Amino acid sequence: MSSANPIDSKQFWLRRAGSGLLLGMSIAILEFAYYYPLVATPDKLGVGLLASLLLSWCGDGVLLAVTVGLFERREAPRSLGARQLALAVVIGSIAGVLAWQAFVNLVLREQFGIWVLRDFVGQPVNWSVGVLYHIWLMLVFGGLAAAVYSSRQRHARMLGVLHAAELSRETSQRQLAEARFAALRARIDPDILFQTLSKLERLYEADPQGADRLLAELIVFLRGALAEVRATPAQ
Amino acid sequence: MQLGLRLPGFLGRDGEPAAQRLISWPSLWRGGVAALAIIFLLSTQFLFQLELYEVWPLPDILHGWLDHFLDLSIVGGCIFAAFTSAAPLRVRGSAAKHLLALASIALGALAGEVLLMVRIPVPPDISAAGMLFAKVARWMVVGGLAYAIYTYLRRTAHAASQAHESGLQRVQLERQMTEARLQALRAQIEPHFLFNTLANVHRLYQTDPGLGRKMLANFVAYLRAALPQMRRDETTLKQEVELAHAYLNVLQVRMGERLRFRLDVPNDLGALPFPPLALSTLTENAIKHGLNPLPEGGSIEIAARVEKFQLKVEVSDTGAGLRQNSGSGAGLANLRARLAALYGEMASLAIEANAPRGIRATITVPIRTVSG
């Protein structure tokens, strides 16, 4: 995920190249599995076929992934939208395949004699025909992989949103508990007070001195209760 | 990872019937459309074989494409059927679940490709097993990617609904918190008044027992009115006015000539519902911040009227006025929050300057019946 390491760091580009390599390798292995029974060559040629396919597809994959990385860098720190990602995949597939297949066919094959798939199959090599097939495969598999990447990022973002929401809910819950506790602590039971005052009223008629003492006690008690209320953080 | 398969129809771990976990028709429909889209995409490979265009006329190519699309649809249909029948199975752990999904994709692909091979046999010089393996592997990659997208999308939707739920709960909690804080504040005002009054009574009984008795009687009357109010969400205007009256009576003994008050509340409005202690808050504010700072005191008038299907209750004083009105902010803010919690946008609290001096505070609430 690009959020874990900053865009344009060495690690970022290594990750992009790695995912491109993985994409190219998967396609190469699939292609190998498909062509190996068709080619029906002696066993030692199998390794050569696999190596040739890996060379051909891994370059496509890496160039596609690096193109997506370039788009991401341009958009940083925001992450790519779905439309931009699709554009990056289309451009990366077409440009990457054109560049890499030209390099493989015109430089590696012509200059250094390295075989491409059609040399193994025994068909005349017309690399412009193969390019279209490469582009198609990169578009489909690269597009699917990009869709996985994009949905994974969206999922991670949503998890972040969920986490924040849970956190603020927890905070509210705690604050509510505190507020309820404060309300409870601040309360002087009105029933008891009411009874005491009624008693006081009657007592002042019968025993004014006793009533005076009771009232003085009540005031002392209330002073204590008031101090406690004041100590409660008022919001 | 051990696969703990359970047949649908058993009760799940959390006790809910497993039948609820069966795929619903809308999601089955959406999944089918998505699968068809992927198959269509894969079938376009046929059109990208440039060498065909040199050999075949265009109608034949289109026909071949259709054929290829039907072939892929047979396999894709098998995969979809295998996946949807495996999805409702209950397994322990997400790894086992993913494994089950991939296995169902592989099985579906295998079945589909075998069907195709029955339809068009493989040439004898090509290994059928090798072909099957290559094709199933390819379907596994496509299906695995599609499954990953599906899983992330589903989890994202789940997380979004959880976040929404959590947000709703938070709003409710905050509303309750406002209530609790208001209760705390209410209880904080009480003891001040209580303490001061009782200290006054105590002093008066020593100097002027008659006045002390009167004050104590007034105070007990106030408490009698206030007691039921403190535990309710809504009372009537009559009860509120009685409470304010009792409160003013108590203070009248203490303040004497410095406090004059007048109540102008028509009897027929008495039965209208009114938020508890709202009037007391305004009256207490008028005394505390309006009249108390002035040596000569002043007068307080409480008036109620009905205007445009709204009940308006005014507390006006001739006290110190707005500029010295510090410290009442929390009480008024709490009153506002309380009105908003009870009535939403339909209630309001307006504070303005009174002529020639003092403050006029007006509470406006919508008219409802007591039971409502």
Side-chain angles (χ1 to χ4, degrees):
Chain A
M1 275 188 284
S2 59
S3 54
N5 44 344
I7 282 188
D8 221 19
S9 70
K10 195 176 161 197
Q11 210 184 1
F12 170 74
W13 292 112
L14 276 180
R15 262 170 182 265
R16 287 292 161 276
S19 52
L21 217 58
L22 197 68
L23 176 66
M25 267 164 60
S26 322
I27 297 178
I29 291 170
L30 287 180
E31 289 282 287
F32 176 73
Y34 186 78
Y35 281 109
Y36 186 71
L38 290 180
V39 176
T41 45
D43 275 0
K44 53 182 174 183
L45 269 186
V47 180
L49 177 64
L50 182 60
S52 165
L53 284 169
L54 281 173
L55 176 76
S56 178
W57 287 104
C58 285
D60 292 349
V62 169
L63 287 178
L64 168 59
V66 167
T67 311
V68 172
L70 286 172
F71 269 76
E72 280 179 296
R73 192 182 67 169
R74 205 188 58 167
E75 201 59 22
R78 284 182 297 139
S79 52
L80 283 183
R83 204 175 295 172
Q84 281 170 310
L85 188 62
L87 187 68
V89 169
V90 169
I91 291 178
S93 300
I94 295 173
V97 166
L98 278 177
W100 185 250
Q101 291 308 310
F103 174 70
V104 168
N105 283 279
L106 300 181
V107 179
L108 294 183
R109 184 171 182 276
E110 304 272 320
Q111 307 292 322
F112 300 97
I114 288 172
W115 278 20
V116 296
L117 175 64
R118 279 169 181 261
D119 295 315
F120 290 95
V121 189
Q123 284 180 347
V125 174
N126 179 4
W127 75 276
S128 56
V129 171
V131 159
L132 207 59
Y133 177 62
H134 273 247
I135 288 177
W136 180 86
L137 259 183
M138 290 315 289
L139 277 177
V140 170
F141 282 84
L144 278 175
V148 173
Y149 171 64
S150 153
S151 57
R152 184 183 153 157
Q153 268 193 330
R154 266 187 52 190
H155 179 238
R157 270 201 302 276
M158 189 45 80
L159 281 187
V161 170
L162 173 62
H163 184 69
E166 290 281 337
L167 207 69
S168 71
R169 188 180 61 102
E170 293 282 320
T171 312
S172 298
Q173 210 152 26
R174 206 196 57 231
Q175 285 173 339
L176 173 62
E178 275 171 13
R180 279 200 172 137
F181 181 63
L184 213 67
R185 227 168 41 145
R187 171 164 294 165
I188 294 167
D189 193 340
D191 284 319
I192 292 179
L193 188 70
F194 186 60
Q195 283 166 15
T196 314
L197 288 180
S198 299
K199 191 180 166 192
L200 195 67
E201 244 184 332
R202 285 195 306 275
L203 206 60
Y204 260 116
E205 304 303 319
D207 175 15
Q209 279 192 341
D212 220 41
R213 272 203 305 279
L214 179 64
L215 186 53
E217 271 169 28
L218 185 62
I219 288 173
V220 169
F221 162 71
L222 284 177
R223 191 176 284 147
L226 202 59
E228 194 176 326
V229 166
R230 277 190 185 129
T232 319
Q235 288 289 331
Chain B
M1 177 61 68
Q2 178 192 2
L3 281 180
L5 283 178
R6 290 192 198 190
L7 290 173
F10 279 90
L11 282 182
R13 248 178 315 171
D14 32 351
E16 74 193 67
Q20 287 182 355
R21 299 283 289 253
L22 284 173
I23 300 171
S24 64
W25 282 111
S27 60
L28 201 67
W29 168 249
R30 274 201 303 269
V33 169
L36 210 63
I38 292 178
I39 289 165
F40 180 79
L41 198 68
L42 289 176
S43 76
T44 55
Q45 186 195 351
F46 193 85
L47 300 175
F48 280 70
Q49 295 168 297
L50 279 191
E51 60 269 36
L52 289 185
Y53 293 87
E54 294 161 11
V55 193
W56 289 3
L58 192 62
D60 283 3
I61 290 178
L62 290 179
H63 190 258
W65 177 35
L66 185 67
D67 237 26
H68 185 55
F69 176 69
L70 288 179
D71 283 356
L72 291 179
S73 301
I74 288 172
V75 187
C78 287
I79 294 175
F80 189 66
F83 182 78
T84 47
S85 44
L89 294 179
R90 279 176 163 269
V91 288
R92 273 186 234 111
S94 59
K97 201 173 162 165
H98 299 329
L99 218 64
L100 178 67
L102 289 180
S104 71
I105 292 172
L107 270 179
L110 190 67
E113 289 294 348
V114 168
L115 265 180
L116 280 193
M117 280 189 178
V118 171
R119 192 170 157 238
I120 307 161
V122 184
D125 57 328
I126 294 175
S127 151
M131 282 295 285
L132 262 183
F133 175 76
K135 288 188 166 173
V136 169
R138 191 172 171 147
W139 281 111
M140 290 269 294
V141 171
V142 174
L145 289 174
Y147 174 67
I149 296 170
Y150 163 73
T151 305
Y152 280 128
L153 287 182
R154 215 186 44 181
R155 285 186 185 170
T156 306
H158 184 64
S161 76
Q162 271 184 320
H164 182 68
E165 186 75 15
S166 174
L168 283 182
Q169 283 180 354
R170 192 183 56 106
V171 170
Q172 272 181 344
L173 286 173
E174 266 165 15
R175 200 179 136 158
Q176 289 174 351
M177 195 154 60
T178 314
E179 281 291 311
R181 280 180 177 161
L182 184 86
Q183 268 185 3
L185 195 85
R186 225 192 267 167
Q188 278 174 32
I189 298 167
E190 262 2 280
H192 279 276
F193 175 54
L194 203 66
F195 181 67
N196 290 341
T197 308
L198 288 181
N200 264 320
V201 169
H202 191 65
R203 215 172 27 249
L204 278 175
Y205 260 109
Q206 272 144 28
T207 55
D208 184 352
L211 206 55
R213 192 178 301 131
K214 188 180 169 195
M215 187 163 189
L216 187 59
N218 279 340
F219 187 59
V220 169
Y222 165 77
L223 279 185
R224 191 172 285 136
L227 256 174
Q229 236 90 332
M230 286 161 79
R231 287 167 190 167
R232 268 190 240 168
D233 271 346
E234 203 164 72
T235 54
T236 60
L237 181 62
K238 186 173 174 236
Q239 285 170 314
E240 273 292 298
V241 171
E242 273 173 5
L243 184 63
H245 194 176
Y247 176 79
L248 288 169
N249 272 337
V250 172
L251 286 170
Q252 176 100 71
V253 177
R254 201 202 303 172
M255 295 173 73
E257 276 304 299
R258 288 178 60 226
L259 171 62
R260 295 172 297 281
F261 63 87
R262 204 162 72 86
L263 302 176
D264 180 17
V265 179
N267 268 338
D268 50 336
L269 299 185
L272 291 176
F274 200 70
L277 301 176
L279 193 54
S280 312
T281 305
L282 293 184
T283 316
E284 282 163 26
N285 265 345
I287 298 276
K288 207 159 133 196
H289 305 289
L291 267 51
N292 256 352
L294 299 180
E296 72 272 25
S299 66
I300 289 181
E301 187 178 332
I302 296 176
R305 64 181 193 278
V306 168
E307 219 171 66
K308 292 182 199 159
F309 301 105
Q310 287 177 316
L311 173 61
K312 284 181 183 283
V313 178
E314 264 178 23
V315 178
S316 25
D317 64 72
T318 59
L322 278 170
R323 61 189 180 282
Q324 284 179 30
N325 198 17
S326 58
S328 65
L332 291 182
N334 256 306
L335 180 54
R336 278 211 172 91
R338 190 167 165 70
L339 288 176
L342 285 171
Y343 302 98
E345 292 285 303
M346 292 157 79
S348 64
L349 167 65
I351 309 287
E352 57 201 350
N354 194 18
R357 64 187 302 189
I359 288 176
R360 180 165 51 232
T362 312
I363 293 181
T364 309
V365 294
I367 290 181
R368 290 188 306 198
T369 54
V370 184
S371 58

